Amino acid sequence: MSSGVFLENLRYISSLGRYNTERRPVIRQYFANRISDSEFTYEKLDVAEIREFASQKQSRAKDTSPDFEEIFEESLLTLPEDINSQDFQRHLLFRYSHLEEPLSDQDEFAISDLLSFEALLRDTILEESEPILSDLNRFESKEDYADFSNIEEPSKQFQQTWNRRVTLSRKEIIKSFVEGTLPDDPTIDPSRHQERIETAQDILEFLSHSGENSPLDFFSNPVFQVKESEERKIVVPFPEVLLTTAQYRIEEYVGQFKQVQAVENREKGGVVEELAQELLQQIPSRNFVKEFEYIHDPNPGEADGLLFFEDSYWVAEVKSHPIFRKIPNRVELIKSRFTQKVTQAADQIQNTLGGTV
Protein backbone atom coordinates (compact mmCIF):
# COMPACT_ATOMS: atom_id res chain seq x y z
CA MET A 1 0.00 0.00 0.00
CA SER A 2 2.95 2.31 -0.52
CA SER A 3 1.67 3.58 -3.88
CA GLY A 4 1.71 7.38 -3.99
CA VAL A 5 -1.59 7.37 -5.88
CA PHE A 6 -3.18 5.12 -3.26
CA LEU A 7 -2.18 7.50 -0.46
CA GLU A 8 -3.37 10.50 -2.45
CA ASN A 9 -6.73 8.82 -3.09
CA LEU A 10 -7.14 7.93 0.58
CA ARG A 11 -6.63 11.54 1.56
CA TYR A 12 -8.79 12.88 -1.23
CA ILE A 13 -11.83 10.75 -0.43
CA SER A 14 -11.31 11.55 3.25
CA SER A 15 -11.43 15.28 2.51
CA LEU A 16 -14.62 14.80 0.49
CA GLY A 17 -16.18 13.00 3.44
CA ARG A 18 -15.15 15.77 5.80
CA TYR A 19 -16.37 18.59 3.55
CA ASN A 20 -19.66 16.97 2.47
CA THR A 21 -21.04 16.00 5.88
CA GLU A 22 -24.51 15.03 4.61
CA ARG A 23 -23.02 12.82 1.92
CA ARG A 24 -20.63 10.84 4.10
CA PRO A 25 -22.72 7.62 3.89
CA VAL A 26 -22.65 7.50 0.08
CA ILE A 27 -18.97 8.52 -0.01
CA ARG A 28 -18.18 5.72 2.44
CA GLN A 29 -20.14 3.29 0.30
CA TYR A 30 -18.22 4.34 -2.80
CA PHE A 31 -14.99 3.85 -0.88
CA ALA A 32 -16.07 0.37 0.29
CA ASN A 33 -16.85 -0.63 -3.30
CA ARG A 34 -13.63 0.74 -4.77
CA ILE A 35 -10.94 0.13 -2.16
CA SER A 36 -10.08 -3.33 -3.52
CA ASP A 37 -9.91 -2.19 -7.17
CA SER A 38 -6.51 -1.78 -8.76
CA GLU A 39 -7.71 1.55 -10.15
CA PHE A 40 -7.86 2.94 -6.60
CA THR A 41 -4.16 2.15 -6.24
CA TYR A 42 -2.97 3.40 -9.61
CA GLU A 43 -5.49 5.95 -10.95
CA LYS A 44 -6.20 9.30 -9.37
CA LEU A 45 -9.76 9.78 -8.13
CA ASP A 46 -12.02 12.53 -9.40
CA VAL A 47 -15.15 13.91 -7.78
CA ALA A 48 -17.10 13.37 -11.02
CA GLU A 49 -16.77 9.60 -10.63
CA ILE A 50 -18.12 9.74 -7.09
CA ARG A 51 -21.01 11.94 -8.20
CA GLU A 52 -21.87 9.40 -10.89
CA PHE A 53 -21.82 6.59 -8.32
CA ALA A 54 -24.19 8.57 -6.09
CA SER A 55 -26.50 9.36 -9.00
CA GLN A 56 -26.73 5.70 -10.03
CA LYS A 57 -27.42 4.73 -6.44
CA GLN A 58 -30.27 7.23 -6.28
CA SER A 59 -31.74 5.99 -9.58
CA ARG A 60 -31.72 2.39 -8.37
CA ALA A 61 -33.43 3.43 -5.16
CA LYS A 62 -36.25 5.04 -7.15
CA ASP A 63 -36.75 2.06 -9.47
CA THR A 64 -36.61 -0.83 -6.97
CA SER A 65 -37.62 -1.47 -3.39
CA PRO A 66 -34.58 -2.03 -1.16
CA ASP A 67 -34.19 -5.39 0.57
CA PHE A 68 -33.24 -5.89 4.21
CA GLU A 69 -29.51 -6.07 3.55
CA GLU A 70 -29.52 -2.79 1.66
CA ILE A 71 -31.53 -1.06 4.39
CA PHE A 72 -29.25 -2.40 7.11
CA GLU A 73 -26.14 -1.36 5.21
CA GLU A 74 -27.56 2.14 4.87
CA SER A 75 -28.06 2.30 8.62
CA LEU A 76 -24.48 1.15 9.21
CA LEU A 77 -23.12 3.85 6.91
CA THR A 78 -24.90 6.59 8.88
CA LEU A 79 -24.13 5.09 12.31
CA PRO A 80 -20.88 6.99 13.07
CA GLU A 81 -22.79 10.30 13.11
CA ASP A 82 -25.57 8.92 15.35
CA ILE A 83 -23.50 7.80 18.36
CA ASN A 84 -21.83 9.86 21.07
CA SER A 85 -18.32 8.40 21.08
CA GLN A 86 -17.51 9.18 24.71
CA ASP A 87 -20.75 7.71 26.05
CA PHE A 88 -20.31 4.64 23.87
CA GLN A 89 -16.74 4.18 25.07
CA ARG A 90 -17.96 4.11 28.68
CA HIS A 91 -20.70 1.65 27.70
CA LEU A 92 -18.22 -0.69 26.02
CA LEU A 93 -15.79 -0.54 28.94
CA PHE A 94 -18.54 -1.84 31.24
CA ARG A 95 -19.96 -4.23 28.65
CA TYR A 96 -16.69 -6.12 28.18
CA SER A 97 -14.95 -5.57 31.55
CA HIS A 98 -15.37 -9.27 32.41
CA LEU A 99 -12.99 -10.17 29.57
CA GLU A 100 -9.98 -8.19 30.81
CA GLU A 101 -8.62 -11.04 32.94
CA PRO A 102 -9.22 -13.85 30.39
CA LEU A 103 -7.42 -11.83 27.72
CA SER A 104 -4.56 -11.06 30.11
CA ASP A 105 -4.24 -14.76 30.92
CA GLN A 106 -3.58 -15.38 27.22
CA ASP A 107 -1.14 -12.44 26.96
CA GLU A 108 -3.45 -10.58 24.57
CA PHE A 109 -4.14 -6.84 24.64
CA ALA A 110 -7.04 -5.62 26.76
CA ILE A 111 -10.26 -4.24 25.28
CA SER A 112 -9.77 -1.14 27.42
CA ASP A 113 -6.44 -0.58 25.64
CA LEU A 114 -8.08 -1.03 22.25
CA LEU A 115 -10.66 1.62 23.14
CA SER A 116 -7.96 3.95 24.49
CA PHE A 117 -6.01 3.62 21.26
CA GLU A 118 -9.08 4.35 19.12
CA ALA A 119 -9.90 7.36 21.31
CA LEU A 120 -6.34 8.62 20.90
CA LEU A 121 -6.52 8.41 17.10
CA ARG A 122 -9.97 10.00 16.97
CA ASP A 123 -9.12 12.86 19.32
CA THR A 124 -5.82 13.58 17.60
CA ILE A 125 -7.63 14.02 14.28
CA LEU A 126 -10.93 15.61 15.28
CA GLU A 127 -10.22 17.76 18.35
CA GLU A 128 -9.26 21.43 18.11
CA SER A 129 -10.38 21.80 14.52
CA GLU A 130 -8.80 24.64 12.54
CA PRO A 131 -11.20 27.37 11.30
CA ILE A 132 -10.96 26.40 7.64
CA LEU A 133 -12.23 22.90 8.47
CA SER A 134 -15.50 24.44 9.70
CA ASP A 135 -16.22 25.83 6.23
CA LEU A 136 -18.30 22.88 4.97
CA ASN A 137 -20.51 22.28 1.94
CA ARG A 138 -24.00 23.55 2.74
CA PHE A 139 -27.13 22.92 0.69
CA GLU A 140 -28.94 25.99 -0.57
CA SER A 141 -32.27 24.34 -1.42
CA LYS A 142 -34.39 21.23 -0.84
CA GLU A 143 -33.49 20.12 -4.35
CA ASP A 144 -29.79 20.23 -3.49
CA TYR A 145 -30.40 18.17 -0.37
CA ALA A 146 -32.44 15.58 -2.27
CA ASP A 147 -29.77 15.19 -4.97
CA PHE A 148 -27.34 12.46 -3.87
CA SER A 149 -24.80 13.60 -6.43
CA ASN A 150 -24.52 17.03 -4.82
CA ILE A 151 -20.96 16.40 -3.68
CA GLU A 152 -18.57 19.32 -3.87
CA GLU A 153 -14.79 19.36 -3.89
CA PRO A 154 -13.21 21.42 -1.09
CA SER A 155 -10.56 24.04 -1.74
CA LYS A 156 -6.91 23.03 -2.00
CA GLN A 157 -6.22 24.73 1.32
CA PHE A 158 -9.01 22.72 2.97
CA GLN A 159 -7.66 19.48 1.48
CA GLN A 160 -4.10 20.21 2.57
CA THR A 161 -5.18 21.08 6.10
CA TRP A 162 -7.35 17.97 6.40
CA ASN A 163 -4.66 15.75 4.87
CA ARG A 164 -2.31 16.77 7.67
CA ARG A 165 -4.99 15.85 10.19
CA VAL A 166 -5.68 12.33 8.95
CA THR A 167 -2.03 11.47 8.29
CA LEU A 168 -0.27 10.63 11.54
CA SER A 169 3.23 9.54 12.45
CA ARG A 170 3.15 5.89 13.51
CA LYS A 171 6.04 6.49 15.88
CA GLU A 172 4.42 9.51 17.54
CA ILE A 173 1.05 7.80 18.00
CA ILE A 174 2.67 4.82 19.69
CA LYS A 175 4.66 7.20 21.89
CA SER A 176 1.48 9.10 22.87
CA PHE A 177 -0.31 5.85 23.69
CA VAL A 178 2.55 4.66 25.91
CA GLU A 179 2.76 8.00 27.74
CA GLY A 180 -1.02 8.10 28.19
CA THR A 181 -1.33 4.59 29.64
CA LEU A 182 1.69 4.52 31.96
CA PRO A 183 1.93 6.40 35.26
CA ASP A 184 4.25 9.41 35.32
CA ASP A 185 6.87 7.68 37.43
CA PRO A 186 10.61 7.78 36.59
CA THR A 187 11.22 4.63 38.65
CA ILE A 188 8.86 2.48 36.60
CA ASP A 189 10.28 -0.81 35.38
CA PRO A 190 11.58 -0.42 31.77
CA SER A 191 9.89 -3.71 30.89
CA ARG A 192 6.51 -2.01 31.47
CA HIS A 193 7.45 0.61 28.90
CA GLN A 194 8.38 -2.04 26.35
CA GLU A 195 5.17 -3.96 27.08
CA ARG A 196 3.15 -0.83 26.33
CA ILE A 197 4.99 -0.33 23.03
CA GLU A 198 4.26 -3.91 21.98
CA THR A 199 0.62 -3.53 23.00
CA ALA A 200 0.29 -0.42 20.83
CA GLN A 201 1.92 -2.22 17.90
CA ASP A 202 -0.44 -5.20 18.28
CA ILE A 203 -3.51 -2.94 18.41
CA LEU A 204 -2.35 -0.98 15.39
CA GLU A 205 -1.92 -4.17 13.38
CA PHE A 206 -5.37 -5.32 14.47
CA LEU A 207 -6.97 -2.04 13.33
CA SER A 208 -5.10 -1.86 10.04
CA HIS A 209 -6.53 -2.68 6.63
CA SER A 210 -5.28 -6.05 5.45
CA GLY A 211 -6.13 -5.73 1.77
CA GLU A 212 -8.87 -8.34 1.95
CA ASN A 213 -11.97 -7.72 -0.15
CA SER A 214 -15.04 -7.93 2.10
CA PRO A 215 -18.13 -5.71 2.45
CA LEU A 216 -17.56 -2.54 4.48
CA ASP A 217 -14.13 -3.80 5.51
CA PHE A 218 -13.08 -0.31 6.59
CA PHE A 219 -15.53 -0.64 9.50
CA SER A 220 -13.48 -3.56 10.80
CA ASN A 221 -10.12 -2.12 9.71
CA PRO A 222 -10.36 1.69 9.73
CA VAL A 223 -6.61 2.37 9.72
CA PHE A 224 -4.23 2.30 6.75
CA GLN A 225 -0.47 2.03 7.26
CA VAL A 226 1.61 3.64 4.52
CA LYS A 227 5.10 4.90 3.86
CA GLU A 228 5.78 8.52 2.96
CA SER A 229 9.32 9.84 2.53
CA GLU A 230 10.62 6.63 4.13
CA GLU A 231 8.61 7.31 7.29
CA ARG A 232 5.85 4.97 8.42
CA LYS A 233 2.55 6.83 8.63
CA ILE A 234 -1.02 6.08 9.65
CA VAL A 235 -3.98 7.32 7.60
CA VAL A 236 -7.54 7.21 8.95
CA PRO A 237 -9.80 8.28 6.07
CA PHE A 238 -13.01 8.18 8.14
CA PRO A 239 -12.06 8.99 11.75
CA GLU A 240 -15.74 9.18 12.77
CA VAL A 241 -15.77 5.36 12.53
CA LEU A 242 -13.37 5.07 15.48
CA LEU A 243 -15.09 4.20 18.79
CA THR A 244 -18.59 4.50 17.29
CA THR A 245 -18.21 1.14 15.51
CA ALA A 246 -15.74 -0.39 17.99
CA GLN A 247 -18.16 -3.11 19.08
CA TYR A 248 -17.85 -4.82 15.68
CA ARG A 249 -14.09 -5.00 16.12
CA ILE A 250 -14.35 -6.15 19.74
CA GLU A 251 -16.62 -9.04 18.76
CA GLU A 252 -14.23 -10.05 15.97
CA TYR A 253 -11.31 -9.85 18.40
CA VAL A 254 -12.96 -11.89 21.13
CA GLY A 255 -13.96 -14.53 18.58
CA GLN A 256 -10.28 -15.25 17.87
CA PHE A 257 -9.79 -16.87 21.29
CA LYS A 258 -11.84 -19.93 22.19
CA GLN A 259 -11.47 -19.62 25.97
CA VAL A 260 -12.22 -15.90 25.98
CA GLN A 261 -15.26 -16.45 23.78
CA ALA A 262 -16.48 -19.10 26.22
CA VAL A 263 -16.33 -16.58 29.07
CA GLU A 264 -18.19 -14.03 26.97
CA ASN A 265 -20.90 -16.54 26.07
CA ARG A 266 -21.35 -17.41 29.73
CA GLU A 267 -21.36 -13.87 31.15
CA LYS A 268 -22.88 -11.66 28.45
CA GLY A 269 -26.51 -12.36 29.37
CA GLY A 270 -26.17 -10.99 32.89
CA VAL A 271 -24.08 -8.00 31.79
CA VAL A 272 -26.47 -6.95 29.03
CA GLU A 273 -29.47 -7.44 31.32
CA GLU A 274 -27.90 -5.14 33.92
CA LEU A 275 -27.20 -2.49 31.27
CA ALA A 276 -30.77 -2.67 30.00
CA GLN A 277 -32.24 -2.44 33.49
CA GLU A 278 -30.16 0.62 34.32
CA LEU A 279 -31.38 2.25 31.11
CA LEU A 280 -35.04 1.48 31.86
CA GLN A 281 -34.71 3.00 35.32
CA GLN A 282 -33.76 6.32 33.71
CA ILE A 283 -37.19 6.68 32.06
CA PRO A 284 -39.09 9.50 33.85
CA SER A 285 -42.54 9.04 35.45
CA ARG A 286 -42.26 5.32 35.89
CA ASN A 287 -41.90 2.56 38.46
CA PHE A 288 -39.59 -0.26 37.48
CA VAL A 289 -39.51 -3.73 39.02
CA LYS A 290 -36.61 -5.88 37.88
CA GLU A 291 -36.42 -9.67 37.90
CA PHE A 292 -40.15 -10.06 38.37
CA GLU A 293 -41.06 -13.63 39.34
CA TYR A 294 -44.46 -14.94 38.38
CA ILE A 295 -46.27 -18.15 39.30
CA HIS A 296 -49.11 -19.44 37.18
CA ASP A 297 -49.77 -22.69 35.42
CA PRO A 298 -48.50 -24.13 33.26
CA ASN A 299 -45.28 -22.11 32.93
CA PRO A 300 -43.99 -20.26 36.04
CA GLY A 301 -40.89 -18.17 35.52
CA GLU A 302 -39.29 -14.74 35.68
CA ALA A 303 -39.42 -11.60 33.56
CA ASP A 304 -36.39 -9.33 33.32
CA GLY A 305 -38.53 -6.41 34.40
CA LEU A 306 -41.90 -4.67 34.60
CA LEU A 307 -42.25 -0.98 33.79
CA PHE A 308 -45.34 0.72 35.26
CA PHE A 309 -46.89 4.01 34.10
CA GLU A 310 -50.15 5.66 35.19
CA ASP A 311 -52.30 3.99 32.54
CA SER A 312 -50.19 1.07 31.31
CA TYR A 313 -47.46 -1.38 32.16
CA TRP A 314 -44.78 -2.97 29.99
CA VAL A 315 -42.92 -6.24 30.27
CA ALA A 316 -39.18 -6.04 29.57
CA GLU A 317 -37.36 -9.08 28.23
CA VAL A 318 -33.66 -8.67 27.43
CA LYS A 319 -31.88 -10.72 24.77
CA SER A 320 -28.14 -10.66 24.28
CA HIS A 321 -27.43 -12.51 21.05
CA PRO A 322 -24.27 -10.89 19.61
CA ILE A 323 -25.43 -9.87 16.14
CA PHE A 324 -22.37 -7.60 16.06
CA ARG A 325 -20.28 -10.68 15.23
CA LYS A 326 -22.05 -10.75 11.86
CA ILE A 327 -21.51 -7.06 11.10
CA PRO A 328 -20.41 -5.89 8.67
CA ASN A 329 -19.32 -9.03 6.83
CA ARG A 330 -22.37 -11.27 7.34
CA VAL A 331 -25.34 -8.92 7.14
CA GLU A 332 -27.50 -11.66 5.57
CA LEU A 333 -27.48 -13.59 8.87
CA ILE A 334 -28.67 -10.71 11.02
CA LYS A 335 -32.36 -10.69 10.07
CA SER A 336 -32.98 -14.35 10.88
CA ARG A 337 -31.04 -14.21 14.16
CA PHE A 338 -32.73 -10.99 15.23
CA THR A 339 -36.18 -12.30 14.32
CA GLN A 340 -35.52 -15.50 16.28
CA LYS A 341 -34.55 -13.57 19.41
CA VAL A 342 -37.51 -11.19 19.15
CA THR A 343 -39.87 -14.17 18.77
CA GLN A 344 -38.39 -15.81 21.87
CA ALA A 345 -38.79 -12.60 23.85
CA ALA A 346 -42.40 -12.20 22.69
CA ASP A 347 -43.20 -15.75 23.79
CA GLN A 348 -41.70 -15.09 27.23
CA ILE A 349 -43.63 -11.82 27.56
CA GLN A 350 -46.85 -13.58 26.64
CA ASN A 351 -46.17 -16.18 29.31
CA THR A 352 -45.53 -13.39 31.86
CA LEU A 353 -48.96 -11.93 31.10
CA GLY A 354 -50.62 -15.26 31.61
CA GLY A 355 -51.19 -16.07 27.96
CA THR A 356 -52.82 -12.80 26.89
CA VAL A 357 -51.20 -9.84 25.22
Side-chain angles (χ1 to χ4, degrees):
M1 289 189 182
S2 58
S3 163
V5 174
F6 181 88
L7 176 57
E8 187 176 350
N9 285 342
L10 273 183
R11 290 168 169 168
Y12 180 70
I13 203 164
S14 178
S15 68
L16 288 179
R18 176 66 182 183
Y19 186 63
N20 298 275
T21 56
E22 296 290 342
R23 296 292 177 247
R24 282 178 189 164
V26 72
I27 292 171
R28 290 179 186 134
Q29 190 171 43
Y30 171 86
F31 178 71
N33 289 354
R34 288 294 312 276
I35 184 62
S36 60
D37 292 350
S38 60
E39 292 179 4
F40 194 92
T41 303
Y42 300 109
E43 295 184 15
K44 185 177 178 181
L45 284 182
D46 185 87
V47 69
E49 182 180 350
I50 303 172
R51 288 172 180 160
E52 178 62 23
F53 173 86
S55 180
Q56 291 177 0
K57 174 181 171 64
Q58 189 167 21
S59 296
R60 289 193 300 271
K62 290 179 180 179
D63 296 338
T64 59
S65 298
D67 59 21
F68 172 81
E69 291 182 32
E70 291 173 323
I71 294 172
F72 200 91
E73 184 175 292
E74 291 288 341
S75 70
L76 289 179
L77 291 166
T78 61
L79 189 63
E81 278 71 48
D82 294 337
I83 292 179
N84 181 294
S85 61
Q86 291 182 338
D87 289 346
F88 197 49
Q89 183 178 5
R90 287 192 290 269
H91 165 84
L92 293 175
L93 284 170
F94 181 86
R95 167 65 179 83
Y96 293 100
S97 59
H98 58 284
L99 299 182
E100 297 290 283
E101 185 175 340
L103 285 166
S104 176
D105 289 343
Q106 296 201 21
D107 293 324
E108 302 295 343
F109 62 78
I111 290 171
S112 56
D113 281 334
L114 171 62
L115 294 172
S116 294
F117 197 92
E118 290 201 23
L120 172 64
L121 291 175
R122 183 186 175 99
D123 293 347
T124 302
I125 296 171
L126 296 179
E127 283 195 348
E128 299 180 5
S129 179
E130 297 166 63
I132 190 173
L133 297 179
S134 299
D135 183 19
L136 306 175
N137 182 28
R138 305 186 188 281
F139 301 126
E140 297 181 357
S141 66
K142 293 180 179 179
E143 290 74 21
D144 287 346
Y145 179 80
D147 181 7
F148 284 14
S149 66
N150 190 311
I151 299 172
E152 297 299 327
E153 188 175 74
S155 67
K156 293 299 181 184
Q157 184 181 1
F158 183 103
Q159 291 183 50
Q160 291 168 359
T161 303
W162 182 247
N163 289 349
R164 289 194 297 271
R165 285 274 177 168
V166 297
T167 308
L168 309 171
S169 165
R170 185 180 186 275
K171 180 180 178 180
E172 290 302 316
I173 282 294
I174 291 176
K175 178 183 177 182
S176 295
F177 174 81
V178 172
E179 292 175 348
T181 57
L182 278 180
D184 186 14
D185 182 357
T187 65
I188 195 168
D189 189 334
S191 65
R192 288 284 307 283
H193 188 271
Q194 182 60 34
E195 181 273 329
R196 291 282 80 193
I197 292 176
E198 292 174 359
T199 294
Q201 292 171 338
D202 289 344
I203 292 173
L204 185 54
E205 291 304 315
F206 174 74
L207 291 175
S208 295
H209 183 68
S210 63
E212 294 182 4
N213 182 17
S214 58
L216 302 184
D217 183 68
F218 69 93
F219 269 25
S220 300
N221 308 105
V223 173
F224 292 78
Q225 295 193 59
V226 298
K227 270 191 177 182
E228 186 178 35
S229 302
E230 299 306 314
E231 183 182 357
R232 299 178 73 180
K233 298 287 186 73
I234 299 168
V235 180
V236 188
F238 298 106
E240 306 86 4
V241 167
L242 295 166
L243 287 183
T244 58
T245 62
Q247 192 159 14
Y248 314 149
R249 292 182 284 283
I250 291 172
E251 289 289 346
E252 289 181 7
Y253 178 57
V254 170
Q256 296 176 13
F257 313 107
K258 186 176 180 180
Q259 292 180 331
V260 179
Q261 185 67 72
V263 175
E264 165 65 1
N265 292 343
R266 185 174 66 248
E267 301 292 336
K268 64 181 173 61
V271 174
V272 173
E273 185 174 313
E274 183 176 348
L275 285 167
Q277 289 172 344
E278 288 183 3
L279 183 63
L280 289 169
Q281 292 180 66
Q282 296 176 26
I283 299 175
S285 303
R286 88 298 167 261
N287 288 303
F288 181 69
V289 179
K290 65 179 181 179
E291 297 175 353
F292 175 78
E293 295 185 1
Y294 55 88
I295 301 174
H296 57 69
D297 292 331
N299 299 309
E302 178 183 280
D304 292 327
L306 288 179
L307 192 63
F308 292 92
F309 295 90
E310 287 186 5
D311 56 357
S312 65
Y313 69 94
W314 300 76
V315 180
E317 188 62 41
V318 181
K319 291 297 178 184
S320 59
H321 183 76
I323 64 171
F324 288 103
R325 292 181 200 164
K326 310 298 183 293
I327 303 172
N329 297 327
R330 301 294 302 278
V331 172
E332 73 278 2
L333 296 179
I334 293 170
K335 184 177 182 180
S336 60
R337 301 288 173 84
F338 181 76
T339 302
Q340 180 187 37
K341 289 298 176 180
V342 170
T343 301
Q344 290 176 2
D347 290 343
Q348 289 176 258
I349 288 171
Q350 187 171 12
N351 194 49
T352 303
L353 297 175
T356 60
V357 291

